[in-house]
Amino acid sequence: MQEGFIDYQKVLNNEEHAIKSTQSVIQKAVDWFRSKSMFVLAYGTGCGAIEMPPTFTSRYDIERLGVVGVATPRQADILIVSGYCSYKTLKRVIRSYEQMNEPKFIIALGSCTINGGMYWDSYNTIKRLEDYIPVDMFVNGCMPRPEALIEGFVKLQDNIKNAKKEAGYIKYRENNEFYKANQKKIFGDNIEPSYEANFEGMNR
Amino acid sequence: MIESLKQQYNIEQKESRLFKLIIKKEEFLKTLSFISSSSNFITLSQIACADWIEDEIFKLNYILTTKERDKNLMIELEIPREESKLPTLLNFFPQAEVMERDLHEMYGIEFIGNPTLYDFALENWKEIPPMRREFDTLAYVNEHFDFRKGREDNRDVKVEIKRRRAEAKRLKNANK
Ligand code: SF4
C-alpha cells in the first residue's frame, strides 16, 4: 500500500462497520454453502461485459470458485452490472433484479457505476448505481481486469460466509421507498410494470 | 454510372472514391428519387447531421453507396432549424427508417411520412432533443444527479505525481 492512500475495501470490511452477526450454527452452515454456489445472471451492460467471457471461460475459469452463469433471473443469485447504465438499461436492470429470488447480490463493475466514470456529464446515463439498487460489491477500474472481478467475488463470498455486511436485498426490502423514489425521479411514472411490493409480514 | 449523373448534376469529386453534390431543400425528393431509380447508388449508408446554430440551419449529408461498394456520393442540403421538416426516403431507401428515427430523436427533425418516429434509444424523453446545441448537458446533469463527494484525502493527480517524482529523485541521489 502506498502511503497516503486508504484501502477503502479494508475500511468497509472493517469489523467496526460490520453488523454484529448473531449467526446460529445452522445459519453459519447455510451461509457457507451459499457462498460456494453463486449463480450469475448472464447479462451485461456497458463495456465491462467484455471482461466477463474470459472470467467465465477457461482462461480465468471462475467456475472453480463455484461461480456459474445461468440464463434467467429466476435462477440467479448474482447480478453483475458491468458498466454504465443508460436510463433504458437501468429499467431492465431493475426489472431483472426484482425478478431474482432472494438471497440476491449485486456486483457493480467499473468506475461508471461508482460515479459516472467517463460518462459523468452524459445526459442519459446514471451516475451512482447504489441510489437506484443496492450494491453489495464495487469493483473499480475502467475497465476492471478479470482478476479484479475475481477478487470482488472472493470478497463477496467472504462477506456472505461471515455475515460481515448487511446484504443488499435486505436493504432493498427495508428502504424500498427510498429506492423507488430515486427511480421515480428519473423514470417519472413509467416504471413498468409498477411493482407495488408488499413486504409486510416477511421475516429476514 | 457517375458520369451520367455528372451530366445532370453539378457533382464534385472530393477523393478518388468520394463525390459530393449540394442540392436545395426543394429539389431533395426529385433528386433522390432520380438517383435511386436511374443509377447504381442503391444503398443509403448514413445520414449525418450537423447543427449550425449560428446560421440557424441543420446541414444534412445523405451518403449513398454503389452496388459494387466502390463509390460514395454525399448529398448535402440545408434545412432551417426551426420548422425542421423533410419528406421521408422510405420509398426509395427502406434502410432510412432507423436513421430517420434516430435523427428525429436526437435533433427533432420531422420526417413526413415515416411512421416509426417514436422513442428509440431514449425512453420518455421530455426535454429538447439532446443533440441540439441549445441543450445544456451539464445543467441537465447537475439538475438530475448528485455526484459522489471525493475522498477527504484526495489530491490533485498532477501535483501528486510531481511530488512523488521529486521524492524518488531525492532518494536516488541520497543513495548515491
Ligand atoms: S468504467 Fe470504463 S470500461 Fe466500464 S463501462 Fe464505464 S467507460 Fe466502459
Side-chain angles (χ1 to χ4, degrees):
Chain A
M1 197 91 247
Q2 271 161 336
E3 48 96 17
F5 282 83
I6 297 178
D7 184 354
Y8 255 69
Q9 207 67 52
K10 223 177 233 168
V11 174
L12 286 175
N13 292 336
N14 199 339
E15 296 304 317
E16 289 168 38
H17 293 254
I19 51 166
K20 293 280 162 282
S21 65
T22 49
Q23 281 173 296
S24 64
V25 178
I26 293 186
Q27 190 60 39
K28 256 185 193 160
V30 169
D31 283 344
W32 187 84
F33 287 127
R34 191 168 279 163
S35 76
K36 295 291 174 200
S37 93
M38 293 175 152
F39 284 19
V40 180
L41 180 61
Y43 177 71
T45 78
C47 4
I50 292 294
E51 297 293 326
M52 279 156 63
T55 316
F56 282 91
T57 48
S58 54
R59 177 71 176 84
Y60 290 95
D61 192 20
I62 203 172
E63 208 166 313
R64 68 206 143 96
L65 304 178
V67 180
V68 190
V70 291
T72 78
R74 306 274 182 208
Q75 301 161 345
D77 306 315
I78 311 261
L79 175 64
I80 301 183
V81 183
S82 55
Y84 60 84
C85 275
S86 66
Y87 291 172
K88 198 172 176 176
T89 323
L90 181 67
K91 214 185 253 178
R92 276 75 183 168
V93 167
I94 291 169
R95 209 168 155 181
S96 312
Y97 182 67
E98 286 179 349
Q99 285 182 19
M100 284 160 62
N101 288 325
E102 291 180 3
K104 51 190 174 183
F105 304 91
I106 291 186
I107 296 183
L109 208 58
S111 332
C112 283
T113 53
I114 299 175
N115 59 1
M118 70 187 226
Y119 297 100
W120 65 276
D121 65 347
S122 156
Y123 53 84
N124 73 337
T125 60
I126 54 146
K127 312 300 168 219
R128 292 169 49 173
L129 184 65
E130 88 269 33
D131 284 353
Y132 309 100
I133 38 175
V135 178
D136 290 282
M137 184 61 64
F138 281 112
V139 180
N140 72 349
C142 177
M143 55 189 37
R145 298 264 316 149
E147 291 95 329
L149 179 56
I150 292 172
E151 197 178 338
F153 268 113
V154 171
K155 283 256 163 67
L156 183 61
Q157 281 180 334
D158 191 36
N159 283 356
I160 296 172
K161 199 158 50 188
N162 301 323
K164 275 192 177 163
K165 275 172 63 178
E166 189 173 38
Y169 64 94
I170 295 173
K171 277 191 227 161
Y172 196 68
R173 204 197 283 161
E174 285 174 357
N175 308 324
N176 200 254
E177 289 83 26
F178 165 78
Y179 291 111
K180 283 288 161 204
N182 279 340
Q183 291 166 13
K184 216 166 192 168
K185 210 169 131 191
I186 59 168
F187 296 141
D189 292 328
N190 278 301
I191 314 178
E192 352 161 70
S194 71
Y195 289 97
E196 298 283 65
N198 181 12
F199 290 119
E200 259 159 50
M202 277 178 83
N203 49 6
R204 276 178 160 205
Chain B
M1 246 340 164
I2 192 84
E3 274 66 41
S4 66
L5 283 180
K6 264 182 179 168
Q7 287 164 8
Q8 291 242 358
Y9 299 105
N10 184 16
I11 293 181
E12 181 191 348
Q13 182 154 14
K14 302 290 268 187
E15 280 166 30
S16 60
R17 297 164 44 156
L18 185 64
F19 299 86
K20 185 168 180 178
L21 167 63
I22 301 178
I23 56 171
K24 295 243 161 47
K25 192 188 163 192
E26 294 74 40
E27 312 161 351
F28 171 67
L29 217 50
K30 213 172 116 222
T31 318
L32 264 292
S33 75
F34 179 78
I35 290 176
S36 75
S37 59
S38 59
S39 77
N40 62 350
F41 284 98
I42 54 159
T43 311
L44 175 65
S45 48
Q46 204 182 74
I47 309 177
C49 179
D51 185 354
W52 295 89
I53 194 168
E54 294 84 3
D55 306 339
E56 310 227 319
I57 51 167
F58 286 130
K59 245 183 207 171
L60 287 157
N61 265 313
Y62 285 73
I63 299 174
L64 304 178
T65 307
T66 51
K67 193 173 161 195
E68 292 79 28
R69 304 279 182 266
D70 60 347
K71 287 188 190 68
N72 294 319
L73 175 62
M74 293 189 341
I75 298 175
E76 184 183 300
L77 75 157
E78 296 170 0
I79 56 173
R81 286 182 97 251
E82 310 302 322
E83 288 247 344
S84 48
K85 279 185 189 154
L86 268 183
T88 177
L89 280 191
L90 273 186
N91 298 337
F92 317 126
F93 302 102
Q95 62 270 47
E97 180 178 316
V98 157
M99 304 172 195
E100 289 179 353
R101 193 172 163 190
D102 188 35
L103 283 183
H104 174 257
E105 183 165 85
M106 290 298 172
Y107 290 94
I109 302 172
E110 189 147 349
F111 290 92
I112 300 156
N114 188 332
T116 60
L117 298 183
Y118 42 83
D119 285 0
F120 189 24
L122 305 170
E123 284 184 342
N124 323 308
W125 186 256
K126 303 254 166 47
E127 321 273 326
I128 41 179
M131 286 290 179
R132 289 180 88 106
R133 272 172 59 205
E134 72 257 30
F135 177 75
D136 190 344
T137 320
L138 206 53
Y140 176 84
V141 168
N142 283 331
E143 187 187 326
H144 284 77
F145 300 103
D146 293 334
F147 284 103
R148 193 186 295 276
K149 286 199 189 65
R151 304 200 305 233
E152 286 103 51
D153 65 333
N154 73 341
R155 296 170 193 176
D156 192 318
V157 178
K158 280 184 190 150
V159 176
E160 181 63 16
I161 289 174
K162 246 183 209 161
R163 190 191 67 79
R164 284 197 194 173
R165 285 228 177 102
E167 184 86 342
K169 215 175 190 180
R170 196 182 56 77
L171 281 178
K172 210 173 159 192
N173 287 340
N175 284 347
K176 261 184 196 168

